[in-house]
Amino acid sequence: MHEKIVFSTLLWYNKKKLKLQQGENEMGIYLNPENVDFQEVLNSKIYIDKSELIQYTNSVLRTTQKYICVSRPRRFGKSMAANMLTAYYSRGCDSRGLFQGLKIATHPDFEKYLNQYNVIHLNMRDYLTESENMKQLIQFVEEDLLDELQQEFADLRMPRRKTLVKVLEQAFAQYKIPFVFIIDEWDCIFRVHKSDAASQKTYLDFLRNLLKDKSYIALAYMTGILPIKKYGEHSAINAFYEYSMTDASPIEEFTGFTEQEVRRLCEQYQMPFTETKKWYDGYCVDGVSIYNPKSVVEAMLRGKFSNYWTKTETYEALKVYIDLNQDGLRDKIVQMIAVEKVPVNPDKFQNDMTTFHSADDVLTLLVHLGYLTYDEQNRVVWIPNGEVRQEFINSIEDGGWEPVVQAIHSSEKLLQATLSCDEETVAELIEQVHQANVSILKYNNENALACVISLAYYSAQKNYTLHREMPAGKGFADIVFEPNRNCNLPALIVELKWGHSAEEAVEQIKQKDYLDCLHNYSGEVLLVGINYDKEKHHTCKIERIKK
């Protein structure tokens, strides 16, 4: 397919070269640009077809839903989507050959809107880099667009006041061809100028004047990391419909790679799907399981698993937020490192990187940045996968997190003691971790102990999938360690008690038939009972059985 696309594109460029030699105008940089950026995407070794996003944007053209703001983490395909939409709508190119063979080409309205609009494509980060202040940034945008508008429409009857908005209005009135605005990284101003409220307001007013309630707009599509900032009465661009990591419906499948897409890649590149899922899955976007596209592509092409996405930004960016420790934030971070889910209320988040009134605000920001994922139905957050969990570990290596880090560092020793049925050592190590973290987690609480156990067995995550409160037999098993495929280690079922005995815990596993939870496993199972008493003394009982 790629050879066909390249050949078609070469024909197009040859035709364009002939037109230029005959004196016709060259297409714009910002107004009606060519499709070369999307061509590069298609030429890549791995391309996942997300072209059906166009079906959705076509459905909202010239409707009140035509204002779209898509926010998702860095390296999650925002710019790719922007380049794809530009290639599809822009009158500055012929993209029929590019889209042949893609999913969108099978839809009835594909030809109807193909290359039919005046497209203005801006990347605001480019302007932010060039300008010294917000006034200059806006000036540069207006000058560039006015220059290209006058070149594109040589016979345009210029209005007396040659402002950008007036010229756009005149161009639409005269030619009856509406504009599609595609603004990439629209929110970079808020991320770079975090505390400059005056510049932020000036920028929002500019966008409002340019976009809101303008008849010359057929579609306005903006991408960024943060949703639109909440300004109370000053809702400068409140016409936009937002699609974010906390609410992306109905375009959630375009947020990243779906499980089916990743399975196909694993088959093509002969990479183990189970391991890929453990490293890069975990983003829950309106019930759809989404994989990190950057990391999946790197893993497939390199043939090995590593922290690819987190390497695109220093861990200090995460450390700044988790060190705030607002409203018991540290407790919640520890729980999530221990593979737990934490309740959150994202509704009060102000959609910026400076306004934090509670732990919920920080956790919601981390969802938008890609460090956490959010389940809207249950209103909980958690660390999505092993790649991101390691970034949390890197961020807490120093600075008051010593008890947690020590527990993680000693977790391999604990796992080996468990596998060896060394009950005394297991009890001793768990007691050390429990007492060291008593300042973070409430002591006489089985849920807190379960969190400590998960933390203490942190290294087991390399070879096991951990399940908390797993439905089993006649109840719920406290913690189940299910071995990954192609792993020869035994399964672990851990039952916790307070003020009873470790022996009672093991008996409960048997009596309530907790082994029933290991439906897809046969082999050796270790039944691990752990008890602690009022004197904070821990005991352990381990029994080895066959399933």
Side-chain angles (χ1 to χ4, degrees):
M1 183 185 73
H2 285 172
E3 289 79 9
K4 181 179 178 181
I5 291 172
V6 171
F7 177 73
S8 175
T9 305
L10 286 174
L11 288 177
W12 162 246
Y13 281 136
N14 287 335
K15 290 178 182 178
K16 179 181 176 185
K17 184 177 180 181
L18 179 61
K19 289 181 179 180
L20 291 174
Q21 290 172 347
Q22 293 173 346
E24 297 187 23
N25 289 337
E26 184 175 1
M27 297 308 172
I29 299 171
Y30 309 104
L31 172 63
N32 290 333
E34 297 177 355
N35 53 27
V36 63
D37 290 330
F38 186 53
Q39 173 72 77
E40 287 188 2
V41 173
L42 294 175
N43 289 344
S44 301
K45 292 183 177 179
I46 291 179
Y47 170 70
I48 298 295
D49 187 352
K50 296 291 183 178
S51 62
E52 286 182 312
L53 173 64
I54 297 170
Q55 182 187 11
Y56 179 73
T57 57
N58 281 346
S59 74
V60 299
L61 287 167
R62 280 303 191 184
T63 71
T64 55
Q65 290 79 42
K66 65 185 177 181
Y67 296 98
I68 296 174
C69 183
V70 174
S71 64
R72 64 181 75 148
R74 68 187 191 282
R75 308 307 297 271
F76 265 69
K78 298 186 298 295
S79 296
M80 185 281 291
N83 291 332
M84 178 182 70
L85 294 174
T86 298
Y88 178 76
Y89 289 115
S90 174
R91 296 176 68 245
C93 53
D94 180 358
S95 296
R96 185 172 282 96
L98 288 184
F99 286 97
Q100 290 302 322
L102 300 186
K103 294 176 182 178
I104 187 61
T106 65
H107 289 272
D109 289 336
F110 168 67
E111 295 277 353
K112 180 177 181 181
Y113 304 111
L114 178 66
N115 301 131
Q116 296 299 307
Y117 292 89
N118 289 315
V119 170
I120 291 178
H121 185 179
L122 304 171
N123 187 317
M124 300 312 298
R125 179 167 287 280
D126 293 341
Y127 284 101
L128 184 64
T129 302
E130 295 174 0
S131 56
E132 296 180 358
N133 52 55
M134 189 54 55
K135 182 178 179 180
Q136 190 177 65
L137 181 149
I138 293 171
Q139 176 189 339
F140 287 169
V141 171
E142 291 181 334
E143 288 176 351
D144 285 347
L145 292 182
L146 284 170
D147 284 347
E148 293 202 6
L149 284 164
Q150 292 180 76
Q151 292 174 20
E152 177 78 6
F153 307 111
D155 58 345
L156 180 65
R157 296 188 298 273
M158 282 293 171
R160 184 172 301 174
R161 288 188 292 121
K162 295 181 183 178
T163 66
L164 176 58
V165 170
K166 290 293 183 183
V167 172
L168 289 168
E169 289 175 339
Q170 180 60 39
F172 175 61
Q174 187 169 331
Y175 299 103
K176 306 302 181 185
I177 301 174
F179 289 81
V180 169
F181 275 80
I182 299 174
I183 303 178
D184 202 7
E185 297 213 52
W186 84 275
D187 65 332
C188 62
I189 284 84
F190 299 97
R191 290 183 275 125
V192 174
H193 298 295
K194 299 177 183 179
S195 303
D196 190 348
S199 291
Q200 293 175 10
K201 182 180 182 300
T202 299
Y203 176 60
L204 284 176
D205 286 340
F206 165 69
L207 291 179
R208 176 180 59 184
N209 188 46
L210 178 65
L211 303 175
K212 190 174 182 181
D213 300 327
K214 295 297 188 289
S215 58
Y216 54 73
I217 291 181
L219 175 74
Y221 182 94
M222 301 199 306
T223 76
I225 291 176
L226 296 172
I228 294 171
K229 183 171 171 58
K230 300 174 183 178
Y231 272 104
E233 294 181 0
H234 184 75
S235 299
I237 46 177
N238 60 0
F240 277 83
Y241 287 77
E242 296 185 78
Y243 306 89
S244 70
M245 296 299 283
T246 58
D247 186 5
S249 179
I251 59 173
E252 59 271 21
E253 67 177 286
F254 307 114
T255 303
F257 290 175
T258 64
E259 186 156 300
Q260 185 179 14
E261 291 164 345
V262 173
R263 282 186 182 274
R264 288 198 296 264
L265 285 175
C266 287
E267 292 174 4
Q268 180 182 350
Y269 286 89
Q270 299 182 335
M271 292 287 284
F273 171 73
T274 302
E275 192 72 5
T276 305
K277 182 179 180 69
K278 192 169 184 177
W279 273 87
Y280 309 123
D281 185 21
Y283 292 96
C284 178
V285 185
D286 288 294
V288 176
S289 182
I290 293 296
Y291 288 67
N292 185 315
K294 163 69 176 176
S295 296
V296 170
V297 168
E298 290 277 2
M300 297 299 116
L301 295 180
R302 295 172 183 261
K304 63 180 182 179
F305 299 105
S306 186
N307 302 334
Y308 297 113
W309 177 74
T310 56
K311 288 178 181 176
T312 63
E313 187 172 54
T314 171
Y315 73 86
E316 292 292 339
L318 173 61
K319 183 176 176 60
V320 166
Y321 298 109
I322 66 176
D323 278 351
L324 291 174
N325 197 27
Q326 282 188 295
D327 187 29
L329 177 63
R330 180 166 296 194
D331 180 15
K332 299 176 190 294
I333 296 297
V334 173
Q335 289 177 263
M336 290 188 293
I337 290 174
V339 201
E340 291 195 19
K341 297 179 180 181
V342 171
V344 69
N345 176 11
D347 298 337
K348 294 182 179 179
F349 178 57
Q350 291 300 303
N351 299 353
D352 64 28
M353 306 180 82
T354 57
T355 308
F356 304 115
H357 298 299
S358 66
D360 287 346
D361 290 339
V362 179
L363 296 177
T364 304
L365 173 62
L366 295 181
V367 171
H368 292 298
L369 295 179
Y371 291 108
L372 298 177
T373 191
Y374 172 67
D375 179 353
E376 183 179 21
Q377 182 175 356
N378 297 303
R379 293 175 72 85
V380 292
V381 293
W382 66 95
I383 299 173
N385 52 49
E387 178 184 36
V388 179
R389 187 170 291 106
Q390 184 56 51
E391 192 71 354
F392 274 86
I393 303 304
N394 294 341
S395 300
I396 66 169
E397 285 286 354
D398 49 32
W401 297 81
E402 287 78 6
V404 179
V405 174
Q406 181 57 40
I408 293 170
H409 287 172
S410 62
S411 61
E412 184 62 36
K413 182 179 179 181
L414 173 61
L415 177 60
Q416 293 306 316
T418 305
L419 297 175
S420 301
C421 296
D422 185 349
E423 299 168 342
E424 185 176 336
T425 300
V426 170
E428 179 183 344
L429 290 173
I430 289 176
E431 186 169 312
Q432 289 175 7
V433 174
H434 202 169
Q435 291 181 354
N437 288 280
V438 68
S439 62
I440 298 177
L441 300 165
K442 293 180 180 179
Y443 200 88
N444 292 328
N445 181 305
E446 280 192 18
N447 286 330
L449 177 59
C451 179
V452 166
I453 297 296
S454 301
L455 192 64
Y457 280 101
Y458 181 83
S459 68
Q461 296 177 40
K462 291 183 294 185
N463 297 303
Y464 290 91
T465 299
L466 185 152
H467 305 280
R468 284 285 312 277
E469 293 293 326
M470 192 174 186
K474 302 172 185 177
F476 294 84
D478 284 340
I479 310 175
V480 176
F481 293 85
E482 185 176 7
N484 296 333
R485 289 183 181 179
N486 303 319
C487 173
N488 295 322
L489 297 175
L492 310 178
I493 299 179
V494 181
E495 185 65 24
L496 309 174
K497 290 292 182 183
W498 177 60
H500 292 271
S501 71
E503 288 76 11
E504 288 181 68
V506 172
E507 283 304 310
Q508 180 173 321
I509 296 174
K510 297 177 182 177
Q511 292 174 6
K512 294 194 174 183
D513 197 21
Y514 287 168
L515 270 74
D516 180 61
C517 68
L518 296 167
H519 303 293
N520 302 317
Y521 174 81
S522 61
E524 196 171 56
V525 182
L526 298 185
L527 312 183
V528 183
I530 297 171
N531 179 71
Y532 72 104
D533 55 29
K534 295 179 181 179
E535 284 72 38
K536 302 179 182 178
H537 177 64
H538 294 64
T539 55
C540 175
K541 178 67 177 177
I542 303 176
E543 188 171 323
R544 192 187 301 267
I545 65 171
K546 287 282 186 178
K547 179 180 182 294

